[in-house]
Amino acid sequence: MNKATLYQQLAPEARHEKGLSRLNQFICLLILLASMTAILETEPTLRLMAPGLFPALEAIFVGLFMVEYLLRLYAIGEDPRYRGLGGRLRYIFSFWALIDLMAILPYFMGFIVYNNAFLLRLLRLARMLRLARLGRFSQAWASLADALKSRSHELLLSAGVAGLLLLFSSCCLYVVEAAAQPEAFGSVPRALWWSIATLTTVGYGDVTPVTALGKVFAGLTAVAGIGLIAMPTGILAAAFSDAFQNKRNS
Amino acid sequence: MNKATLYQQLAPEARHEKGLSRLNQFICLLILLASMTAILETEPTLRLMAPGLFPALEAIFVGLFMVEYLLRLYAIGEDPRYRGLGGRLRYIFSFWALIDLMAILPYFMGFIVYNNAFLLRLLRLARMLRLARLGRFSQAWASLADALKSRSHELLLSAGVAGLLLLFSSCCLYVVEAAAQPEAFGSVPRALWWSIATLTTVGYGDVTPVTALGKVFAGLTAVAGIGLIAMPTGILAAAFSDAFQNKRNS
Amino acid sequence: MNKATLYQQLAPEARHEKGLSRLNQFICLLILLASMTAILETEPTLRLMAPGLFPALEAIFVGLFMVEYLLRLYAIGEDPRYRGLGGRLRYIFSFWALIDLMAILPYFMGFIVYNNAFLLRLLRLARMLRLARLGRFSQAWASLADALKSRSHELLLSAGVAGLLLLFSSCCLYVVEAAAQPEAFGSVPRALWWSIATLTTVGYGDVTPVTALGKVFAGLTAVAGIGLIAMPTGILAAAFSDAFQNKRNS
Amino acid sequence: MNKATLYQQLAPEARHEKGLSRLNQFICLLILLASMTAILETEPTLRLMAPGLFPALEAIFVGLFMVEYLLRLYAIGEDPRYRGLGGRLRYIFSFWALIDLMAILPYFMGFIVYNNAFLLRLLRLARMLRLARLGRFSQAWASLADALKSRSHELLLSAGVAGLLLLFSSCCLYVVEAAAQPEAFGSVPRALWWSIATLTTVGYGDVTPVTALGKVFAGLTAVAGIGLIAMPTGILAAAFSDAFQNKRNS
């Protein structure tokens, strides 16, 4: 495989045909597997069951990603922007190349704390998202983004109204319930926790009003939560409907 | 009733008129009753209240389904694909005929464990679903399936975004809450349980964050859950609206 | 006021002008007040606080409703269908007149148990609903009913799919969790309680799976619940959109 | 800066250009910061951590708002309605000027109870909402308000149906569960608390039915809750779709 075809296979934006190349599809799969491994490794019982498995898997994944990184560095010379040694250096410090590097490097620096490395390894998922944008989902991505953008003012406005509602119901519950439950409703920020769980209709139930007046306000908040869901859903539905019809008409 | 009319009555796809035949309607009812019996039989208090009832009912249902199976085997000869003894054998090993058989056979093999037999008996419901597709709901089925298919990329994309969101909020809560609640947030897969309950706005409340930072992330997750519901709802609404208008215009 | 104008005021369907007559608006208010009284009367603390208030209010309401009933019986003679003594008798046994009577009679029959009388008194609300259909909301009522009817097959189908999903997830949880929690998941009907709370995203949290496999199935059920909400919402949105456009075009 | 330009900067409705003036943008920011301070001040742990911070911040905010109030009072003379001393007095007693005053005054009247002052300070947010209406979001605000208004009858009707459903399910649960759980379901108003949490799919889980019949009714209520969400969402989606198409066609 010469440098030009390798570049075509590795760089999604350089490809003439639609969709992702075989190599990029394989890399997507690799990223998914590596991420899943990183996630499962956090579970202590699994680490105990197979003590040597996770370090071994991680070594394999890091090896493969390093090979890919070096190949990409070699092939990128095909891109006129990154030609020569200076171009290579510029590529290394480009945004996506740094993301790639940050997912490999921690492995070689054993002194980094465990948790941070785990999050750095999941950075790879961001790259997969970027590949998805260029692959088969590029059109769906564009139509969703268009719909969201065309109605961004309406969505922001309904988010603002929701925020005020959230604040208002927190204040009400704070005033009414603070005396009865100082731990849960003793301040507005504390009442916000209840308020957000109610307005989004999550409703954990770890904190609930106990006074009669508090229950009346809570009921009104829950009903307002319906509107909070209905509003953006309606706006999005109308925006998508618009976007789909525009595409059909044009 | 001769073989040809029996075939017309039994095979929904062979019928010229619209809707299901009387016989198939009766079989649908039978399937519903048999499934309900299978479900109620799992309740110990009901089994104790009427010890002989459920085995007797099951015997009746199995008898009727066996008669139906044999009649169908006899009548299927009308179909040119399944003519003769070889055709019959081929029919027996066709997908839907095997489903039918699997719902009857366990009764005669007493040595099968109880739970499995219960699930096999509910396989009959799959057949009812197939009848529904050919009956009165065929058009509604087609229009719903069309709408889903035409927007499958958008729906998959929003599912992907939801998946990443799920993962992201699990990681956040794991990093923040693992120390305070190792049992519930001690690993990313454990935090996923909380995360999925929050993002879908189910909110059981068996596991909730206790640290201030955890509550902030949880609140953001709950708000993102609204988007998780609004997104596919909006896409579906637009897709259905499209599908209905297409039908009216054509 | 003579019989003809009284009839015009009482019978909403006999009215030429749009909207409800003054008298019927007053009766709507009366029904609302009487219903609210009946509801508040069930609260023991309120009964203790004002022991004589509720019986007195109920006596006034029953008196007013009896006067209305007798006036209606007198005025109904204007309707050619209910002319003469035979017509009056026929009217008394008509559906809505019986509803009216059933809300008054229990008061005079002290021997009826308390709870039943309470429910009978709320029957009056049904009449208010009927008045609303003829008043200012008649057009909104018609457009909503039209939209629901035009997509009844799609809605029924999605309800059927939801029902199967409900059953399926109950069976899964029963098989997986029955051993660990026999009280909550010991039979399919018991698991249904959990299943319905999860699929509708209510999520009480009084019953939650504890095994790892149970949590996996529960997570899938919760995600399916999103679809369960998105499906009918999308169908309704498309149907309403259709209905509003039809009205504008015609 | 002379009086005329000051008036242009302060009065959003007097401005010729689109959007908010620099000064009003700064005031919006100030309101947001002051509100956040007022909210955080309610938290006792924060008050303990920085004992002198909150009074100092409030003094600064009150000072700035007072300057703004006096500037506005001075500049309002440019408006022909509020010219002269009589006009100024009329302005002081106009709705929005009173709101402004009520957010400043409590600071100087130390004898007002703490909680009330906190709520008065949040009144300023109302003014920010008013500025948002005149700024960049004016068009989004208009299109949302139009859509809501054009379908107000349908929305009110579905709210009415939801109210009846709420009442109906409370009555059912009261009749069925009152004996088993007198504390939670001992009266219809008490059952309403459970009912509203279920119908809005919040589902705290602090109160759940325990009898078999109660669970059946609760399940039906939860399913009806789906409709309660789907109905207004569908109406809003159709209304927004309508409003967006109208704007495009015109």
Side-chain angles (χ1 to χ4, degrees):
Chain A
M1 203 187 267
N2 68 344
K3 199 168 157 186
T5 49
L6 187 67
Y7 177 64
Q8 282 260 331
Q9 284 282 316
L10 276 169
E13 54 274 11
R15 220 170 163 238
H16 300 306
E17 294 132 82
K18 226 177 147 188
L20 287 179
S21 68
R22 277 287 148 84
L23 192 53
N24 270 326
Q25 282 175 7
F26 175 71
I27 290 169
C28 272
L29 186 73
L30 220 62
I31 292 172
L32 270 183
L33 288 175
S35 304
M36 202 164 291
T37 311
I39 286 165
L40 290 177
E41 195 178 350
T42 62
E43 175 62 43
T45 53
L46 288 178
R47 274 208 303 274
L48 283 174
M49 268 164 63
L53 181 67
F54 288 109
L57 279 175
E58 181 58 12
I60 294 169
F61 286 129
V62 164
L64 286 169
F65 283 124
M66 214 168 63
V67 169
E68 188 230 338
Y69 183 78
L70 293 174
L71 280 179
R72 204 180 284 272
L73 198 61
Y74 163 68
I76 201 72
E78 289 291 308
D79 187 331
R81 287 174 300 166
Y82 301 121
R83 218 176 290 270
L85 192 72
R88 293 273 154 73
L89 269 172
R90 235 177 307 129
Y91 175 73
I92 286 175
F93 289 100
S94 72
F95 181 70
W96 288 108
L98 280 176
I99 292 273
D100 279 17
L101 198 63
M102 272 162 69
I104 305 170
L105 270 192
Y107 186 75
F108 299 103
M109 305 186 290
F111 48 83
I112 280 190
V113 235
Y114 182 71
N115 272 343
N116 298 359
F118 151 78
L119 286 175
L120 283 174
R121 275 152 69 187
L122 285 179
L123 266 179
R124 291 162 187 156
L125 282 169
R127 189 144 68 91
M128 206 183 71
L129 211 66
R130 186 189 162 224
L131 286 176
R133 269 188 61 186
L134 294 153
R136 213 191 307 171
F137 292 100
S138 62
Q139 206 164 58
W141 188 283
S143 76
L144 289 189
D146 274 9
L148 282 173
K149 213 179 289 169
S150 74
R151 296 297 154 206
S152 60
H153 274 98
E154 277 88 357
L155 288 170
L156 274 175
L157 191 64
S158 78
V161 171
L164 280 180
L165 212 62
L166 205 61
L167 203 60
F168 181 73
S169 81
S170 305
C171 291
C172 287
L173 265 284
Y174 160 60
V175 169
V176 170
E177 291 274 327
Q181 303 187 75
E183 194 57 47
F185 293 100
S187 72
V188 176
R190 286 178 196 203
L192 258 175
W193 170 244
W194 167 85
S195 195
I196 214 164
T198 301
L199 263 182
T200 57
T201 77
V202 168
Y204 289 121
D206 56 342
V207 184
T208 47
V210 293
T211 65
L213 205 56
K215 286 186 177 181
V216 169
F217 280 125
L220 293 175
T221 304
V223 170
I226 300 275
L228 188 69
I229 294 175
M231 206 74 160
T233 307
I235 294 172
L236 280 180
F240 290 144
S241 187
D242 244 37
F244 296 164
Q245 278 191 1
N246 278 352
K247 215 162 66 183
R248 209 173 38 178
N249 291 346
S250 64
Chain B
M1 203 189 268
N2 68 343
K3 200 168 159 186
T5 49
L6 186 68
Y7 177 64
Q8 282 261 329
Q9 286 282 315
L10 276 170
E13 54 273 10
R15 220 170 163 237
H16 301 304
E17 295 133 81
K18 226 177 149 188
L20 287 179
S21 68
R22 280 286 148 83
L23 193 52
N24 271 327
Q25 283 177 6
F26 176 70
I27 290 169
C28 273
L29 186 74
L30 220 62
I31 291 172
L32 270 183
L33 288 175
S35 303
M36 200 164 291
T37 311
I39 286 165
L40 290 177
E41 195 177 350
T42 61
E43 174 62 43
T45 52
L46 288 178
R47 275 208 303 274
L48 283 175
M49 268 163 64
L53 181 68
F54 288 109
L57 280 175
E58 181 59 13
I60 293 168
F61 286 129
V62 166
L64 286 169
F65 284 124
M66 213 169 63
V67 168
E68 188 230 339
Y69 184 78
L70 293 175
L71 279 180
R72 203 179 285 272
L73 197 62
Y74 163 69
I76 203 70
E78 288 291 309
D79 187 332
R81 286 176 300 166
Y82 300 121
R83 218 177 290 271
L85 193 70
R88 293 273 154 71
L89 269 172
R90 235 176 307 129
Y91 175 73
I92 286 174
F93 289 100
S94 72
F95 181 70
W96 288 107
L98 280 176
I99 293 273
D100 279 17
L101 198 63
M102 272 162 69
I104 305 171
L105 270 192
Y107 186 75
F108 300 103
M109 306 186 291
F111 49 82
I112 280 191
V113 234
Y114 182 71
N115 273 345
N116 298 358
F118 151 78
L119 286 175
L120 284 174
R121 274 152 70 185
L122 285 179
L123 267 180
R124 290 162 189 155
L125 281 170
R127 189 143 69 90
M128 206 182 71
L129 210 65
R130 185 188 162 224
L131 286 176
R133 271 189 60 186
L134 294 153
R136 215 192 305 173
F137 292 100
S138 60
Q139 206 164 58
W141 188 282
S143 77
L144 289 189
D146 274 8
L148 282 173
K149 214 179 290 171
S150 74
R151 296 298 154 205
S152 58
H153 275 98
E154 277 87 357
L155 288 170
L156 273 175
L157 191 65
S158 77
V161 171
L164 280 180
L165 212 64
L166 205 63
L167 204 59
F168 181 73
S169 81
S170 305
C171 291
C172 287
L173 265 284
Y174 160 61
V175 170
V176 169
E177 290 274 328
Q181 303 187 75
E183 193 56 47
F185 292 100
S187 73
V188 176
R190 285 178 197 201
L192 259 175
W193 170 243
W194 167 85
S195 195
I196 213 164
T198 300
L199 262 181
T200 58
T201 76
V202 168
Y204 289 122
D206 56 342
V207 184
T208 47
V210 292
T211 66
L213 204 57
K215 285 186 176 181
V216 169
F217 280 125
L220 293 175
T221 305
V223 170
I226 300 276
L228 188 69
I229 294 175
M231 206 73 159
T233 308
I235 295 171
L236 281 181
F240 290 145
S241 187
D242 244 38
F244 296 166
Q245 278 192 3
N246 278 352
K247 214 160 67 182
R248 209 173 39 180
N249 292 346
S250 65
Chain C
M1 202 188 266
N2 68 344
K3 199 168 157 185
T5 49
L6 186 69
Y7 176 64
Q8 282 260 330
Q9 285 282 316
L10 276 170
E13 55 273 10
R15 224 175 160 232
H16 300 304
E17 296 132 83
K18 228 179 147 186
L20 286 180
S21 68
R22 279 284 150 85
L23 192 53
N24 271 325
Q25 283 177 6
F26 176 72
I27 290 169
C28 273
L29 186 74
L30 220 62
I31 291 172
L32 271 183
L33 288 175
S35 303
M36 200 165 291
T37 311
I39 286 165
L40 290 177
E41 195 178 349
T42 61
E43 174 62 44
T45 53
L46 288 178
R47 275 208 304 273
L48 283 174
M49 268 164 63
L53 180 69
F54 288 109
L57 280 175
E58 180 59 13
I60 293 168
F61 286 129
V62 164
L64 286 169
F65 284 124
M66 212 168 65
V67 168
E68 188 231 340
Y69 183 79
L70 293 176
L71 279 179
R72 203 179 284 274
L73 197 62
Y74 162 69
I76 201 71
E78 288 291 308
D79 187 331
R81 286 175 300 166
Y82 300 121
R83 217 177 290 272
L85 193 72
R88 293 275 153 70
L89 269 172
R90 235 176 307 129
Y91 174 73
I92 287 175
F93 289 101
S94 72
F95 180 71
W96 289 107
L98 280 176
I99 293 273
D100 279 16
L101 198 63
M102 272 161 68
I104 306 171
L105 271 192
Y107 186 76
F108 301 103
M109 307 186 290
F111 48 82
I112 280 190
V113 234
Y114 182 71
N115 272 344
N116 298 358
F118 152 78
L119 286 174
L120 283 173
R121 274 152 70 186
L122 285 178
L123 265 179
R124 291 162 189 154
L125 281 169
R127 189 142 71 90
M128 207 183 70
L129 211 66
R130 185 188 163 225
L131 285 175
R133 272 188 59 185
L134 294 153
R136 215 191 307 172
F137 292 100
S138 60
Q139 207 164 55
W141 187 282
S143 76
L144 290 189
D146 274 8
L148 282 173
K149 214 179 289 169
S150 74
R151 296 297 155 206
S152 59
H153 275 99
E154 277 87 358
L155 287 170
L156 273 175
L157 191 65
S158 78
V161 171
L164 280 180
L165 213 63
L166 205 63
L167 204 60
F168 182 72
S169 81
S170 306
C171 292
C172 287
L173 266 284
Y174 160 61
V175 169
V176 169
E177 289 274 329
Q181 303 188 75
E183 193 56 46
F185 293 100
S187 72
V188 177
R190 285 178 198 202
L192 257 175
W193 171 243
W194 168 85
S195 194
I196 214 163
T198 301
L199 263 181
T200 58
T201 78
V202 167
Y204 289 122
D206 56 341
V207 184
T208 47
V210 292
T211 66
L213 204 58
K215 284 185 178 183
V216 170
F217 279 125
L220 294 175
T221 304
V223 170
I226 300 276
L228 187 68
I229 293 175
M231 206 74 161
T233 307
I235 295 172
L236 280 181
F240 290 145
S241 187
D242 245 37
F244 295 166
Q245 278 193 1
N246 278 352
K247 214 161 68 182
R248 209 174 38 180
N249 292 346
S250 64
Chain D
M1 202 188 268
N2 69 345
K3 199 167 156 185
T5 49
L6 186 69
Y7 177 63
Q8 282 260 330
Q9 285 282 316
L10 276 169
E13 53 274 11
R15 221 174 163 233
H16 301 306
E17 294 132 83
K18 228 178 147 188
L20 286 180
S21 68
R22 279 285 148 86
L23 191 54
N24 271 326
Q25 283 176 7
F26 175 71
I27 291 169
C28 274
L29 186 73
L30 220 62
I31 291 172
L32 270 182
L33 288 175
S35 304
M36 202 165 290
T37 311
I39 286 165
L40 291 177
E41 195 178 349
T42 61
E43 174 63 42
T45 54
L46 289 178
R47 273 207 305 273
L48 283 174
M49 269 163 63
L53 180 70
F54 288 109
L57 280 174
E58 180 60 11
I60 294 168
F61 286 129
V62 165
L64 286 168
F65 284 124
M66 212 168 65
V67 167
E68 188 231 340
Y69 183 79
L70 293 175
L71 280 179
R72 203 180 285 274
L73 197 62
Y74 162 69
I76 202 72
E78 290 291 308
D79 188 330
R81 286 174 301 165
Y82 300 122
R83 218 176 290 271
L85 192 72
R88 293 274 154 72
L89 269 172
R90 236 177 305 128
Y91 174 74
I92 287 176
F93 290 101
S94 71
F95 181 70
W96 288 109
L98 280 176
I99 293 272
D100 279 17
L101 198 64
M102 272 161 69
I104 306 170
L105 270 192
Y107 185 76
F108 301 102
M109 305 185 292
F111 48 82
I112 280 190
V113 234
Y114 182 72
N115 273 342
N116 297 358
F118 151 78
L119 286 174
L120 283 174
R121 275 152 70 187
L122 286 177
L123 266 178
R124 292 162 187 154
L125 282 169
R127 189 144 70 90
M128 207 184 70
L129 211 66
R130 186 190 163 224
L131 286 176
R133 271 188 60 186
L134 293 154
R136 212 190 308 172
F137 293 100
S138 61
Q139 205 164 58
W141 187 283
S143 76
L144 290 189
D146 274 8
L148 282 174
K149 214 180 289 170
S150 74
R151 297 295 154 207
S152 59
H153 274 99
E154 277 87 357
L155 287 170
L156 273 175
L157 191 64
S158 78
V161 170
L164 281 180
L165 212 63
L166 205 61
L167 204 61
F168 182 72
S169 80
S170 306
C171 291
C172 287
L173 265 284
Y174 159 61
V175 169
V176 168
E177 290 275 327
Q181 302 189 74
E183 194 57 46
F185 293 100
S187 72
V188 176
R190 286 177 195 202
L192 258 176
W193 170 243
W194 167 86
S195 195
I196 214 163
T198 301
L199 262 182
T200 58
T201 76
V202 168
Y204 290 122
D206 56 341
V207 185
T208 47
V210 292
T211 65
L213 205 58
K215 286 186 176 181
V216 170
F217 279 125
L220 293 175
T221 304
V223 171
I226 300 277
L228 188 69
I229 294 174
M231 206 74 161
T233 308
I235 295 172
L236 280 180
F240 290 144
S241 187
D242 244 37
F244 295 165
Q245 279 192 1
N246 278 352
K247 216 162 63 184
R248 210 174 38 179
N249 292 346
S250 65

